[in-house]
């Protein structure tokens, strides 16, 4: 997942959106305790040091001090964003083998969550895209501006659903959102590939979808179709 030396995979995030679940809302405190201290939790042993509560949104936010990693849990969605501290491959495998099964089974299924609306994964890269971004700025401004201190570019594309996921009587679809952002300090470009699947109609039972396989397939798509877009030497050429 790392690409050339100028390209670094630095984070991945998984998310599940569902219809408001009031049973989960009633037990959020206990769920968080199990996440932080439960013997079977992949986060046991002090992974998250801070637990915050946002009363307006009924959000529980678990934060890691050593980096920006966090887990957000509300009555309508679950998000885990992992900023890598080790190599990207081992971090991602940990997410697939330990984190995702625990979140789906222990946090969601055992607390009656169903009616899944959307599932998604974000792969985050740091890359040197100065040439490409400056070309885009120059073309858009008819060469009046050729560089910038800050830059934000985003687009989305509706994708066909893999045949392995297709079921009769449904209108599910996938969506790709690409975001490129330049930060002045430290100077770098952050690139997010956000791959989402929408369920139409909603997915009534968690057991009817293989979340781990979806995330693994998304990684395959990333490596074959999207990461090569960041090949710095090809872009410069």
């Amino acid at each position: 997942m790392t690409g050339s030396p100028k390209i670094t995979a630095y984070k991945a995030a998984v998310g599940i959106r569902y219809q408001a679940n009031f049973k989960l809302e009633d037990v959020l405190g206990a769920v968080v305790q199990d996440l932080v201290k439960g013997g079977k939790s992949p986060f046991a042993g002090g992974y998250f040091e801070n637990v915050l509560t946002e009363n307006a949104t009924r959000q529980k936010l678990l934060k890691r001090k050593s980096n920006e990693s966090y887990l957000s849990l509300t009555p309508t969605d679950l998000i885990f964003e992992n900023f890598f501290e080790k190599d990207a491959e081992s971090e991602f495998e940990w997410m697939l083998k330990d984190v995702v099964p625990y979140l789906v089974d222990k946090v969601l299924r055992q607390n009656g969550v169903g009616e899944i609306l959307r599932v998604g994964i974000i792969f985050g890269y740091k890359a040197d895209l100065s040439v490409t971004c400056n070309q885009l700025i120059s073309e858009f401004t008819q060469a009046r501006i050729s560089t910038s201190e800050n830059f934000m570019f985003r687009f989305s594309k509706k994708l066909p659903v893999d045949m392995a996921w297709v079921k009769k009587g449904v209108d599910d679809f996938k969506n790709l959102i690409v975001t490129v952002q330049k930060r002045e300090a430290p100077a770098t470009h952050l690139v997010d590939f956000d791959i989402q699947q929408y369920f139409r109609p909603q997915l009534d039972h968690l057991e009817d979808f293989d979340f781990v396989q979806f995330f693994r397939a998304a990684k395959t798509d990333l490596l074959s179709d999207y990461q090569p877009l960041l090949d710095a030497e090809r872009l410069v050429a």
Side-chain angles (χ1 to χ4, degrees), residues 31-42:
V31 170
V32 168
Q33 279 294 106
D34 195 54
L35 277 166
V36 174
K37 298 181 179 180
K40 296 182 179 180
S41 171

Side-chain angles (χ1 to χ4, degrees), residues 18-189:
Y18 38 86
Q19 293 283 11
N21 186 283
F22 299 106
K23 178 182 177 182
L24 178 61
E25 180 179 350
D26 290 339
V27 297
L28 276 179
V31 170
V32 168
Q33 279 294 106
D34 195 54
L35 277 166
V36 174
K37 298 181 179 180
K40 296 182 179 180
S41 171
F43 306 113
Y47 184 89
F48 292 117
E49 295 92 349
N50 294 329
V51 178
L52 306 175
T53 300
E54 174 56 58
N55 292 325
T57 59
R58 300 178 178 85
Q59 178 195 39
K60 290 290 187 179
L61 183 64
L62 288 69
K63 301 181 69 174
R64 185 164 173 79
K65 288 183 179 179
S66 60
N67 59 24
E68 299 177 69
S69 296
Y70 73 90
L71 189 150
S72 172
L73 181 61
T74 78
T76 58
D77 56 36
L78 183 155
I79 301 170
F80 172 55
E81 186 165 37
N82 179 24
F83 287 77
F84 302 149
E85 295 181 339
K86 302 176 183 177
D87 66 280
E89 192 66 32
S90 63
E91 292 264 12
F92 189 68
E93 283 302 308
W94 169 69
M95 292 174 68
L96 291 190
K97 292 181 179 179
D98 297 334
V99 175
V100 171
Y102 180 87
L103 294 178
V104 171
D105 184 51
K106 302 297 183 183
V107 175
L108 300 182
R109 187 188 63 80
Q110 290 192 9
N111 291 294
V113 172
E115 300 176 311
I116 308 302
L117 304 174
R118 184 176 77 221
V119 58
I121 184 165
I122 296 175
F123 299 96
Y125 285 88
K126 295 179 180 179
D128 180 5
L129 302 180
S130 300
V131 172
T132 299
C133 293
N134 290 342
Q135 287 176 348
L136 181 61
I137 293 170
S138 181
E139 291 180 12
F140 183 75
T141 63
Q142 298 182 0
R144 291 181 175 86
I145 302 173
S146 59
T147 62
S148 69
E149 285 71 38
N150 294 289
F151 179 91
M152 172 72 79
F153 177 68
R154 176 177 293 172
F155 67 90
S156 64
K157 175 64 176 177
K158 189 174 181 179
L159 304 174
V161 177
D162 298 336
M163 291 304 297
W165 306 105
V166 173
K167 296 182 180 180
K168 292 182 179 180
V170 302
D171 192 26
D172 296 354
F173 67 93
K174 287 172 64 177
N175 198 41
L176 169 68
I177 302 173
V178 180
T179 304
V180 181
Q181 180 179 1
K182 177 184 177 181
R183 291 187 176 177
E184 187 176 7
T188 187
H189 290 85

